[in-house]
Amino acid sequence: MDTFRWTWNDRVRQTGEKVAMPLFTTEEAEKVRAFHQTFDGYTPTPLRSLRNLAQHLGVGKLYVKDESYRFGLNAFKALGGSYAIGQYLANRLGQDIGTLSFAELQSPEVKHELGSITFASATDGNHGRGVAWSATQFGQKSVIYMPKGSADIRLENIRRAGATAQITDLNYDDTVRLMKKHAEINDWVLVQDTTWDGYEEIPSYIMQGYMTMVAEALEQMQADGEDKPTHVFIQVGVGSIAGAVIGLLVNQFGEENPITVIVEPTKADCHYRSAMTPSGQREYVTGSMDTIMAGLACGEPNPLSWSMIRDYSDMFISCPDFTAAHGMRLLGNPLGDDARIISGESGAVTSGLASLLMRDERLREARYKLGLNKDSIILVFNTEGDTDPENYRQIVWDGAHPNHI
């Protein structure tokens, strides 16, 4: 379905009781970032101000937080996996993670005290690679399952990170259920970025881990002379990244928090469908969900993040695949002296959408509703680089999935 669907969220910015978000305060974000700063090789990823592109589109500024540089893994997901595993180990030791460093948790003494642990997860690629890398860094094992249709290169990258990994013949959500079953049978520690009854703690740690990326971006914007963005575009799969971004923004800026746009593929637009329901209950997408945005091909919103997304997001937009392809080409072929950004399908969809909102007349009403204009300061997150290089070349070199405008 090559068309956009969008809805303005009438629930947001109204007076009344809202969801409490104590896990996503600025104090918690500082604690998370302090832990990540103890990692070997930690450095803030770049925040690119694409000034020529912003001028071309008719907005004030366009900032892209480029997570393709994170820990050399070409994606942001290790932030969540590493913090969740670190918290799990700290809890097993009976210690506050705020008193522990990465090196201490890597130590032979900790491994001797805790013994051998196998961490497990279902993934479309980036999360599983982050879990595998984190487990290996801490001297532990990992097992990763991937849904059918996953690229072989993503499977191999997970194996290179140290995991035992395989591709199933199931879609993402059913692969999660299969991993849950096998983790229970084999006494593996499940590190999954969605919740269900009785499984909330580790997913909340994963979401907290993503706050490092947000805290860095805000700090870098302020160094560039901007107090905060006016608009934030966030891609969603199960919604964990969006929950972390929204949670920290709302806690930090209160009623002055930026206008937030939730972005997902038309073939896996469970958040858009949920937002369309009168009571805001979660709606599911089933089937193969064969979008090029593999990292966003999830059909069931994370219950923990959905309550925040539902109550604090201003707009939900369901995007056809060419939106992501447009974003990849846009970032990879910069204007003037703008930085070149290598972005994968799931990483580029927000940049692609921001561009199309300013150019595509089918989105004129959405643009007006969002108040996008020459004064807008837009922040997007490039959550992955070219994690599927062959597909990247087909899109950027050969023009696969052309714009339908």
Side-chain angles (χ1 to χ4, degrees):
M1 184 185 298
D2 285 335
T3 185
F4 293 95
R5 296 185 290 178
W6 63 271
T7 183
W8 181 257
N9 187 6
D10 290 327
R11 299 181 185 89
V12 80
R13 302 182 191 275
Q14 296 177 355
T15 58
E17 184 178 351
K18 296 291 186 181
V19 163
M21 297 183 288
L23 295 174
F24 305 102
T25 62
T26 53
E27 293 76 16
E28 286 294 326
E30 289 170 4
K31 180 179 177 180
V32 173
R33 188 178 178 190
F35 177 68
H36 284 137
Q37 286 172 330
T38 70
F39 282 43
D40 293 335
Y42 167 82
T43 187
T45 54
L47 181 73
R48 308 296 192 188
S49 179
L50 304 183
R51 301 182 189 278
N52 294 299
L53 179 58
Q55 183 178 15
H56 176 75
L57 295 177
V59 298
K61 289 186 178 180
L62 174 61
Y63 288 102
V64 181
K65 179 65 168 166
D66 190 359
E67 287 294 301
S68 67
Y69 288 86
R70 185 67 66 182
F71 296 135
L73 295 174
N74 214 10
F76 81 109
K77 285 284 191 174
L79 289 172
S82 63
Y83 190 68
I85 291 176
Q87 272 281 18
Y88 175 85
L89 296 175
N91 292 344
R92 284 277 303 270
L93 293 167
Q95 297 188 45
D96 184 338
I97 196 171
T99 68
L100 294 168
S101 69
F102 178 62
E104 288 171 308
L105 289 174
Q106 283 182 307
S107 69
E109 292 79 12
V110 166
K111 180 65 179 295
H112 177 74
E113 181 173 349
L114 297 183
S116 181
I117 303 169
T118 298
F119 294 97
S121 189
T123 180
D124 47 55
N126 294 334
H127 173 66
R129 189 179 183 186
V131 169
W133 177 84
S134 301
T136 300
Q137 295 297 307
F138 290 119
Q140 302 292 354
K141 300 176 182 178
S142 58
V143 178
I144 306 296
Y145 291 173
M146 303 180 71
K148 65 180 179 181
S150 296
D152 288 340
I153 185 62
R154 291 188 172 121
L155 174 66
E156 290 307 311
N157 283 336
I158 289 171
R159 288 173 173 166
R160 289 191 192 103
T164 299
Q166 67 181 70
I167 298 174
T168 72
D169 60 355
L170 306 169
N171 69 17
Y172 172 79
D173 299 293
D174 288 335
T175 300
V176 172
R177 282 183 271 272
L178 179 65
M179 175 53 81
K180 177 178 179 290
K181 177 182 177 181
H182 287 187
E184 291 170 351
I185 293 171
N186 293 290
D187 198 28
W188 298 335
V189 177
L190 193 62
V191 186
Q192 202 61 52
D193 55 353
T194 192
T195 64
W196 49 82
D197 287 344
Y199 185 72
E200 292 89 17
E201 188 174 59
I202 286 180
S204 71
Y205 294 150
I206 292 172
M207 291 174 64
Q208 284 184 306
Y210 299 153
M211 289 195 294
T212 289
M213 173 184 69
V214 190
E216 287 178 2
L218 294 174
E219 184 179 90
Q220 290 164 321
M221 285 188 66
Q222 289 158 7
D224 195 50
E226 299 294 341
D227 290 336
K228 63 182 180 68
T230 61
H231 297 76
V232 180
F233 290 72
I234 316 170
Q235 56 271 71
V236 292
V238 297
S240 294
I241 178 180
V245 174
I246 290 167
L248 184 55
L249 291 176
V250 171
N251 274 319
Q252 186 157 334
F253 298 111
E255 294 183 358
E256 301 300 318
N257 63 295
I259 292 171
T260 305
V261 184
I262 299 299
V263 184
E264 61 193 335
T266 55
K267 295 178 179 179
D269 57 358
C270 54
H271 290 82
Y272 165 80
R273 297 187 192 198
S274 300
M276 290 292 290
T277 64
S279 59
Q281 75 268 18
R282 292 184 302 139
E283 291 289 312
Y284 297 165
V285 176
T286 59
S288 62
M289 294 177 281
D290 57 337
T291 170
I292 65 169
M293 294 171 263
L296 309 181
C298 309
E300 301 179 14
N302 177 357
L304 179 62
S305 58
W306 170 241
S307 58
M308 294 183 286
I309 294 170
R310 178 195 63 209
D311 287 354
Y312 292 102
S313 302
D314 294 275
M315 185 176 285
F316 295 78
I317 303 186
S318 170
C319 300
D321 279 356
F322 70 77
T323 314
H326 173 64
M328 293 166 69
R329 289 188 279 267
L330 191 78
L331 296 175
N333 298 274
L335 290 173
D337 60 356
D338 284 353
R340 182 181 182 224
I341 298 172
I342 305 298
S343 181
E345 300 84 353
S346 299
V349 64
T350 48
S351 296
L353 177 61
S355 169
L356 293 172
L357 276 164
M358 302 305 295
R359 299 172 54 214
D360 190 340
E361 283 305 297
R362 291 174 300 179
L363 293 169
R364 178 175 53 185
E365 186 180 352
R367 176 173 68 243
Y368 174 79
K369 194 74 173 176
L370 289 168
L372 287 169
N373 56 43
K374 63 182 178 59
D375 298 317
S376 299
I377 310 297
I378 300 172
L379 172 63
V380 301
F381 297 92
N382 175 32
T383 52
E384 65 171 0
D386 53 345
T387 54
D388 184 347
E390 182 178 347
N391 203 47
Y392 180 86
R393 289 190 293 270
Q394 288 175 355
I395 291 170
V396 176
W397 290 9
D398 302 330
H401 307 282
N403 291 8
H404 292 175
I405 60 174

